[in-house]
């Protein structure tokens, strides 16, 4: 039986701004509001994702593509510092003093992005993942949230996710919002599953989009260093350094399983049917295809 999660518990860990929820232990309403006026450069690159869709993975790929020192191991800079989150910036990194090209990460919905994006048209890479695997990954991630002394049980979290009352807001709104407004931006859409299926062509696609020419050897190095196995033990990529008051390592890890189709191990038949119904209602005819399982290759 799902717990009745009162608004009080949700408001303890999140705050709502214009329909989207933010993690209150790592940011504030003022920080999010101020982003509207963030100075944007044409040469900037923004990685945009809904949480648990492959953000830290793509951070590693972009960090490797843009920095030879990251590829050959001569530079020891954590990915979070190479491409900081704009709305989660607890160390107050000064974005304006960074040399171009600047790389940024964000979970923002399209309508909360800096205003200058539409005039400067920087490059945006939007990575999305099938929402059932996002849900499962998110459920495990929530266990790491320090202010949540008692993590939500599966059924409770399922309901919160479906109704969009989680960090990042509704998956359905995030993905459909970015997708239907894609022509307003300079954007490359990628999916977690295409990266998982065959990383090399995905890396090449990203290189082409960001206009960086790497030879075959360098591409192979990017692919090798961005595998789940490599990243899991790479302290620059695996977020192990985060303090326990931001993400509690005793209770979980960022690189958990890294698979497609894990939802089948936890969702009940009834939950799956309900999910499909909501998916149909919310995503309608949007021509966006997801791979729900790498073996079956069934898309929807
Ligand atoms: P799981 O919890 O299903 O394992 P985000 O970075 O957006 O928070 O997404 C986290 C998810 O991406 C986690 O999914 C994590 O394991 C997965 N991930 C991270 N690096 C990966 C990699 N190199 N290959 C495959 N999956 C990866």
């Amino acid at each position: 039986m799902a717990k009745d999660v009162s608004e009080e518990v949700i408001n303890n860990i999140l705050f709502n701004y214009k329909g989207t929820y933010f993690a209150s232990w790592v940011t504030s309403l003022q920080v999010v509001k101020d982003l509207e006026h963030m100075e944007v450069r044409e040469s900037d690159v923004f990685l945009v994702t809904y949480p648990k869709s492959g953000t830290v993975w793509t951070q590693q790929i972009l960090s490797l593509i843009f920095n030879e020192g990251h590829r050959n191991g001569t530079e020891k800079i954590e990915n979070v510092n190479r491409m900081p989150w704009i709305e989660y910036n607890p160390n107050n990194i000064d974005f304006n003093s960074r040399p171009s090209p600047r790389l940024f990460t964000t979970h923002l919905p399209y309508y909360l992005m800096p205003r200058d994006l539409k005039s400067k048209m920087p490059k945006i890479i939007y990575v999305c993942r099938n929402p059932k695997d996002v849900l499962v990954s998110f459920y495990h991630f929530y266990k790491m949230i320090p202010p949540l002394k008692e993590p939500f049980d599966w059924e409770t979290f399922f309901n919160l996710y479906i109704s969009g009352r989680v960090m990042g807001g509704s998956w359905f709104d995030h993905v459909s919002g970015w997708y239907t407004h894609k022509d307003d931006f300079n954007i490359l859409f990628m999916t977690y599953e295409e990266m998982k299926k065959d990383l090399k062509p995905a890396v090449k696609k990203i290189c082409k989009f960001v206009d960086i020419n790497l030879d075959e050897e360098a591409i192979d190095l990017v692919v090798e260093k961005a595998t789940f196995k490599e990243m899991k033990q790479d302290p620059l990529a695996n977020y192990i350094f985060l303090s326990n008051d931001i993400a509690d390592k005793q209770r979980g890890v960022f690189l958990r399983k890294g698979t497609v189709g894990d939802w089948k191990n936890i969702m009940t038949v009834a939950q799956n049917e309900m999910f499909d119904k909501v998916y149909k209602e919310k995503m309608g005819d949007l021509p966006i295809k997801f791979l729900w399982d790498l073996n079956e290759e069934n898309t929807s």
Side-chain angles (χ1 to χ4, degrees), residues 49-61 85 107 127 129 133-134 136-138 140-141 192 195-196 199 223 225-232 237 239 253-260 262:
T49 57
Y50 182 83
K52 313 323 292 171
S53 302
T55 325
V56 304
W57 189 8
T58 319
Q59 276 186 328
Q60 170 77 337
I61 293 169
W85 258 268
H107 290 320
V127 180
R129 182 182 191 186
D133 281 333
V134 170
V136 176
S137 181
F138 222 165
H140 289 286
F141 176 79
Y192 177 99
M195 298 187 345
K196 189 75 200 171
L199 191 51
V223 171
K225 292 198 175 220
T227 57
F228 184 82
K229 198 167 151 248
E230 284 292 317
M231 275 183 64
K232 197 160 169 77
Y239 280 70
V253 284
F254 271 78
L255 279 100
R256 190 184 60 91
K257 263 195 178 174
T259 56
V260 179
D262 195 30

Side-chain angles (χ1 to χ4, degrees), residues 12 28 30 33 73 78 84 107 113 116 135 138-139 148 169 174 193 202 204 227 238-239 263-264 292:
N12 246 343
S28 69
Q30 199 55 47
K33 278 185 173 171
E78 282 142 355
H107 290 320
M113 290 293 278
D116 279 356
L135 158 62
F138 222 165
Y139 165 63
L148 262 189
H174 201 278
E193 292 79 17
K204 285 185 168 174
T227 57
N238 64 14
Y239 280 70
W263 59 273
K264 293 185 175 177
W292 305 95

Side-chain angles (χ1 to χ4, degrees), residues 24 63 67 72 129 160 175 184 195 253 283-284 291:
S24 41
S63 297
N67 302 283
N72 64 25
R129 182 182 191 186
L160 285 175
V175 174
D184 300 342
M195 298 187 345
V253 284
M283 303 304 277
L291 212 50

